[in-house]
Amino acid sequence: MNADKIRNGVAVFGAFFGLVLATVLLLSRSQPAEGAIIQICDKWGATYVAGGAYWVQNNIWGADTAQCIQVDDTNGNFTVVQSAHNNTGGTPAAYPSIVKGCHWGTCTQNSSLSVSVSQLNSVTSNWTITPISGGAWNAAYDIWLSPNLDTTNGYNGGAEIMIWLNWNGNIQPAGSRIATVAIAGATWEVWYAQMNWNYIAYRRTTPTNGVSNLDILAFINDAISRGYVQQSWYLHAVEAGFEIWQGGTGLASSGFSVTVNAAAPPSPGSPTPTPVAPTATPTPSSGSACQVAYTVTNQWPGGATVNVTITNTTSSPINGWTLEWDFPNPSQQITNLWNGSYSQTGQHVTVTNAAWNGTIPAGSSVTFGFNMSWSGSNPAPSSFTLNGQPCGGTAGGGPQPTPTPTRTPTPAAPTATPTRTPTPVAPTATPTRTPTPVAPTATPTRTPTPTLTSTPGPTPTPPPSGTHLDNPFIGAIGYVNPDWATNVISQANQTADPTLAAQMRKVATYSTAVWLDRIAAITAGRGLRGHLDEALRQMQQAGQPVVITLVIYDLPNRDCSAAASNGELLVAQNGLARYKAEFIDPIVAILSDPRYAGLRIVTIIEPDSLPNLVTNLSIPACAEAQNAYIEGIRYAVNRLRTIPNVYIYLDIAHSGWLGWDNNFNGAVNLYTQVVQGMDQGFNSIDGFITNVANYTPLEEPYLPDPNLTIAGQPVRSASFYEWNPYFDELDYALALRNAFIGRGFPSTIGMLIDTSRNGWGGCSYGRCRPTGPSSDTSSVNAYVDGSRVDRRYHRGNWCNQAGGIGERPQAAPRSGIDAYVWVKPPGESDGVSQPGIVDPDDPNKKFDPMCDPNGQSRYNSAYPTGALPNAPHAGRWFPQQFEILVRNAYPPIQP
């Protein structure tokens, strides 16, 4: 991407936003055989090269004229073979370039990026160009830094450093020249412009056509010395290419490479550097020195997405801004906001700039957006104040609900403000669930049932020690946790109904996961070694391999958008260093013990963590946890991946949370970036898991088509689905798998689905399981409510629902699905149902209003929570719910 424009022959800043969409589409194409010459003429066309170590983009972002590049996918060398550009002012037409690192939602493999600037030892690069004599162009590096690790939803601000090696025509960097410095054996002009991030350009006083071991870190350090970059920020990407305004045919790039050497992260116990953002000094805007455009971009019954654009109409920059307004309707409530922070008291709303968009240059704009709930009507505010002064505005109400609202952004001309993709309203908290280890008790007498087996056939020969299987569940039985099974058998023994008691005893033979939810869980009660020893005993008894599933669940600021499973570690109290040293490292040490090498150990990594970064960064605890979540998960995976018999699946929420187009695409972008930053890139994990501890059905058999029209409306527009096109977990999981494979993950990637509580048989919440599609077609809501097997009041209800046990654990039930698993042990609570009760073993758990049986859903106050009464803290045995889950099991439990 490039960052320069021409105005009267002077380059000024510009930004590119289409690339994140382009790479989703174009990098998903199958790659040609290595060594091929690829011609790219698509506006946003791009391709991975050198085995994924780099990628090359055509990147026509400032014009609609033709451009084609030819790329050697072995080494990334490229040539501009057609260029019809003739931009005489404004933006450059394009920035064809080669990239290493993570930027705008796409990452290269094994790049050592993103990395904290404070950890950099050296960053060097080689690059050679072939210039041309005509046209207007430059040959320049583009280097991106940010206070945040996440760059998937647009650039998060910070600094952009350009290094001009050569140029032709009447062009110059943005802003003004502020200094001349000697760096890397040459003299450079230093140019600076303050936009939505710091723009610093270094133009060589004597142009060159190539560099060898160019010291890029020296330029970063110079920018630090001028206050434009912070040591605690992250280096994300190094790009090199040609900004082209006119002509450009014949420009060629060859021999590009970047080498990043970084120190190891801080040793355990040392504080992790906290990103520091510049503090903006608010500048009052007098009179009507600004304009506000309030636009409802999408609206549905009870909810809406809104974009707000603030334009500075004065001749001076606004440094730091606070926008305030009053909603006309008391029911109008913001549920989450991006590109700023907010507070709401009654109808009064206050929005303050983010760290990176506090300055609004003269004549420029910034944009933020939010999701909201409403009832009755959704009128737009009539007036706004900016920094306490009245601000003119066009407060349009925007569109009303239509049968097919548009949510997916269309690639458009770049704008100067890095606007996040709006996120439709979605449930933000997934079930709270933290089992508490139970002291060893007598193991109930039973023969473990091999519930995680492949299609009946010959028992496979165990693989050689050290072999890492494609699907660890095939040919293995699942570990039965004696502590959980004891609770089940105890309740069965107290149940008067003999049929129900027999069903409970059958449930006790199935495999469930073991939750490592705090540091003490590693050793408390049976402890991790005790479970592994018991798994060895079960393997010896059955004469078959055993797969044991562990939930790794103790990130700092855990469950940042909920309360029932808040954890023991906090980011602000050195939580990340403790997570690594006191939680992950001991687990890895135990799992590495050679005595456990014959077990198949499946790890479920940090439920709810990355999904919160997709939708809930407006919540302070989530914003604070952003970098810690990413770094912590990368650390856990990198350490666990060193053990051959350990299998790694990342939690990716459920369809009722991330199913909307923007949430879905945002999740794919974020997870792709996080995984590519791991030591083994796409090969670091074995797959993903959906529906952990949730209740979303495996399938909605009578609602197979979200676009089916009833009474003039598609069924996905019903109040229950709120335009979310994914009604069940199977469709959602398979769509995610296809999307990840399209982004470069191996085709062997597998999906798990937690089916422990999503059966929805029997009757609950005033409805019984339907036996066919509804005959009531008077309205889309009537049809959906009569057809859906998910009987919750609201799809966002996650705490102690009256559901039913779902499909039994089984291996490879569908192509692309590694297994159905019971990660949430049936009968363990999601959260305490009333405040004021302290869990003596884990006092960090709190009361969450979503667990209040008399409360209303936080996602839509028109509906109750549906939570069951008398529930204990998360992870504690909840006999009333267990009975309901068994009675409502679907398929029914066969004793």
Side-chain angles (χ1 to χ4, degrees):
M1 123 134 213
N2 91 317
D4 296 334
K5 298 180 181 178
I6 293 181
R7 180 175 298 154
N8 298 325
V10 178
V12 296
F13 177 83
F16 160 52
F17 297 97
L19 179 59
V20 65
L21 290 175
T23 52
V24 170
L25 298 174
L26 296 167
L27 293 177
S28 66
R29 301 180 300 189
S30 60
Q31 296 298 306
E34 188 169 315
I37 300 298
I38 306 164
Q39 180 155 307
I40 301 175
C41 299
D42 296 323
K43 185 180 183 74
W44 310 118
T47 185
Y48 285 108
V49 297
Y54 300 90
W55 56 277
V56 177
Q57 55 175 336
N58 200 29
N59 195 9
I60 310 168
W61 71 272
D64 292 317
T65 39
Q67 174 180 290
C68 294
I69 58 175
Q70 286 187 348
V71 184
D72 184 331
D73 85 332
T74 302
N75 51 33
N77 296 347
F78 70 90
T79 302
V80 180
V81 295
Q82 179 186 1
S83 178
H85 306 313
N86 190 30
N87 282 19
T88 57
T91 66
Y95 182 56
S97 50
I98 183 170
V99 180
K100 183 170 187 175
C102 294
H103 191 46
W104 298 91
T106 302
C107 295
T108 59
Q109 296 190 45
N110 303 318
S111 67
S112 301
L113 301 173
S114 302
V115 64
S116 173
V117 172
S118 64
Q119 296 174 17
L120 290 174
N121 290 328
S122 66
V123 182
T124 57
S125 178
N126 302 321
W127 188 32
T128 301
I129 68 159
T130 300
I132 59 175
S133 58
W137 52 268
N138 72 22
Y141 284 88
D142 208 4
I143 299 157
W144 294 91
L145 305 104
S146 168
N148 299 308
L149 273 173
D150 177 22
T151 62
T152 59
N153 293 320
Y155 182 57
N156 283 332
E160 175 190 18
I161 297 175
M162 295 203 77
I163 304 172
W164 288 37
L165 302 184
N166 202 344
W167 64 94
N168 192 72
N170 186 26
I171 59 174
Q172 66 186 40
S176 58
R177 190 170 68 183
I178 61 172
T180 301
V181 297
I183 298 177
T187 303
W188 309 79
E189 300 171 347
V190 184
W191 296 68
Y192 175 75
Q194 172 62 59
M195 301 298 173
N196 283 328
W197 51 76
N198 294 326
Y199 169 86
I200 314 102
Y202 296 85
R203 185 167 72 165
R204 209 173 192 270
T205 56
T206 55
T208 183
N209 294 330
V211 290
S212 177
N213 291 320
L214 180 68
D215 187 355
I216 290 177
L217 183 55
F219 293 91
I220 296 173
N221 287 334
D222 184 80
I224 291 173
S225 70
R226 300 177 191 280
Y228 302 144
V229 174
Q230 301 291 324
Q231 284 276 1
S232 58
W233 291 1
Y234 293 87
L235 172 64
H236 291 296
V238 178
E239 310 178 11
F242 307 101
E243 293 186 296
I244 303 173
W245 286 266
Q246 300 167 13
T249 301
L251 289 168
S253 163
S254 62
F256 176 77
S257 66
V258 176
T259 302
V260 178
N261 289 313
S267 59
S270 300
T272 300
T274 302
V276 178
T279 302
T281 303
T283 301
S285 61
S286 59
S288 186
C290 53
Q291 289 289 320
V292 172
Y294 179 102
T295 305
V296 179
T297 60
N298 188 23
Q299 184 164 292
W300 56 94
T305 299
V306 178
N307 277 351
V308 179
T309 299
I310 307 170
T311 300
N312 178 6
T313 58
T314 71
S315 58
S316 301
I318 296 174
N319 295 312
W321 53 266
T322 297
L323 188 71
E324 298 180 72
W325 72 83
D326 290 301
F327 279 127
N329 185 337
S331 72
Q332 293 172 297
Q333 295 288 318
I334 294 178
T335 56
N336 68 304
L337 182 143
W338 49 94
N339 292 351
S341 58
Y342 81 98
S343 62
Q344 181 171 353
T345 303
Q347 294 168 246
H348 188 75
V349 177
T350 301
V351 179
T352 303
N353 60 271
W356 48 266
N357 65 356
T359 297
I360 312 178
S364 297
S365 303
V366 297
T367 299
F368 63 87
F370 58 85
N371 290 327
M372 64 181 300
S373 61
W374 57 273
S375 62
S377 62
N378 186 29
S382 59
S383 62
F384 303 86
T385 61
L386 186 70
N387 295 339
Q389 301 296 324
C391 197
T394 54
Q400 294 301 308
T402 58
T404 311
T406 300
R407 283 187 205 82
T408 304
T410 301
T415 59
T417 306
T419 305
R420 287 185 181 270
T421 302
T423 304
V425 170
T428 55
T430 304
T432 53
R433 60 270 181 242
T434 313
T436 302
V438 179
T441 56
T443 303
T445 302
R446 65 197 182 284
T447 300
T449 302
T451 56
L452 294 176
T453 58
S454 59
T455 304
T459 301
T461 302
S465 179
T467 300
H468 193 86
L469 303 171
D470 173 47
N471 184 346
F473 295 92
I474 293 178
I477 63 172
Y479 171 65
V480 179
N481 180 351
D483 302 330
W484 168 78
T486 296
N487 287 326
V488 176
I489 296 297
S490 175
Q491 184 160 341
N493 291 340
Q494 300 174 52
T495 299
D497 182 336
T499 300
L500 180 60
Q503 290 174 321
M504 290 179 177
R505 292 187 179 94
K506 179 67 175 181
V507 170
T509 67
Y510 290 107
S511 174
T512 56
V514 174
W515 288 66
L516 301 175
D517 63 327
R518 63 191 193 278
I519 294 167
I522 300 171
T523 55
R526 187 179 298 271
L528 177 56
R529 282 195 179 274
H531 283 292
L532 295 172
D533 290 341
E534 172 63 16
L536 288 176
R537 189 195 66 79
Q538 292 180 18
M539 184 168 67
Q540 182 179 15
Q541 180 183 25
Q544 286 185 266
V546 164
V547 57
I548 178 172
T549 300
L550 308 175
V551 181
I552 309 300
Y553 186 55
D554 199 26
L555 276 173
N557 287 32
R558 189 181 70 197
D559 274 12
C560 59
S561 65
S565 279
N566 284 169
E568 63 187 344
L569 302 177
L570 296 176
V571 172
Q573 297 178 8
N574 205 29
L576 181 58
R578 292 191 62 197
Y579 176 79
K580 295 176 181 179
E582 299 177 43
F583 185 67
I584 295 300
D585 289 351
I587 290 173
V588 171
I590 293 172
L591 299 185
S592 300
D593 189 328
R595 71 184 264 106
Y596 305 128
L599 295 173
R600 302 180 188 180
I601 303 170
V602 168
T603 56
I604 308 300
I605 306 299
E606 297 297 346
D608 294 356
S609 54
L610 294 180
N612 272 308
L613 302 190
V614 178
T615 63
N616 293 328
L617 288 178
S618 62
I619 297 173
C622 296
E624 182 185 46
Q626 182 176 12
N627 293 338
Y629 278 10
I630 294 173
E631 186 175 339
I633 287 173
R634 283 177 172 167
Y635 183 85
V637 171
N638 289 339
R639 296 282 282 120
L640 291 166
R641 199 55 168 175
T642 62
I643 311 171
N645 62 313
V646 169
Y647 298 83
I648 300 169
Y649 293 82
L650 296 184
D651 170 79
I652 194 162
H654 54 88
S655 59
W657 184 347
L658 298 181
W660 286 274
D661 292 345
N662 286 335
N663 294 1
F664 186 100
N665 293 330
V668 171
N669 287 341
L670 174 62
Y671 281 73
T672 298
Q673 175 193 339
V674 170
V675 174
Q676 284 184 310
M678 295 173 182
D679 288 350
Q680 297 185 35
F682 288 142
N683 295 317
S684 297
I685 66 170
D686 296 277
F688 301 89
I689 181 167
T690 79
N691 206 46
V692 169
N694 206 265
Y695 298 84
T696 308
L698 184 66
E699 295 187 83
E700 280 287 357
Y702 311 121
L703 292 170
D705 181 7
N707 295 311
L708 173 69
T709 299
I710 300 294
Q713 296 284 326
V715 292
R716 65 192 178 102
S717 71
S719 297
F720 189 73
Y721 293 116
E722 299 174 325
W723 294 100
N724 185 329
Y726 291 103
F727 296 175
D728 58 51
E729 288 307 285
L730 189 58
D731 288 342
Y732 171 69
L734 292 175
L736 280 172
R737 181 175 182 271
N738 290 335
F740 282 120
I741 292 173
R743 294 299 297 275
F745 283 80
S747 60
T748 54
I749 205 79
M751 306 297 293
L752 305 178
I753 301 175
D754 185 354
T755 59
S756 59
R757 304 187 302 178
N758 68 347
W760 290 108
C763 302
S764 54
Y765 301 119
R767 296 188 182 95
C768 295
R769 184 182 178 92
T771 57
S774 174
S775 60
D776 187 348
T777 58
S778 60
S779 70
V780 68
N781 283 337
Y783 181 82
V784 166
D785 287 345
S787 302
R788 58 183 168 94
V789 300
D790 186 342
R791 293 189 302 281
R792 288 175 290 181
Y793 293 119
H794 188 273
R795 221 178 160 202
N797 290 353
W798 52 262
C799 191
N800 297 325
Q801 301 296 289
I805 289 174
E807 288 283 353
R808 312 314 170 245
Q810 56 182 296
R814 302 286 185 96
S815 177
I817 306 296
D818 280 358
Y820 297 150
V821 291
W822 286 3
V823 175
K824 175 71 174 183
E828 291 186 351
S829 174
D830 293 318
V832 68
S833 57
Q834 63 188 73
I837 299 175
V838 177
D839 188 311
D841 292 332
D842 195 350
N844 302 291
K845 300 173 188 174
K846 298 179 178 64
F847 167 73
D848 191 296
M850 285 296 291
C851 302
D852 182 356
N854 300 311
Q856 302 302 113
S857 174
R858 72 162 57 100
Y859 312 115
N860 189 326
S861 59
Y863 301 99
T865 64
L868 295 169
N870 305 314
H873 272 288
R876 296 289 186 178
W877 186 251
F878 186 10
Q880 293 94 326
Q881 188 192 37
F882 180 68
E883 179 176 331
I884 292 171
L885 292 174
V886 175
R887 288 187 183 277
N888 288 351
Y890 192 90
I893 304 293
Q894 300 298 326

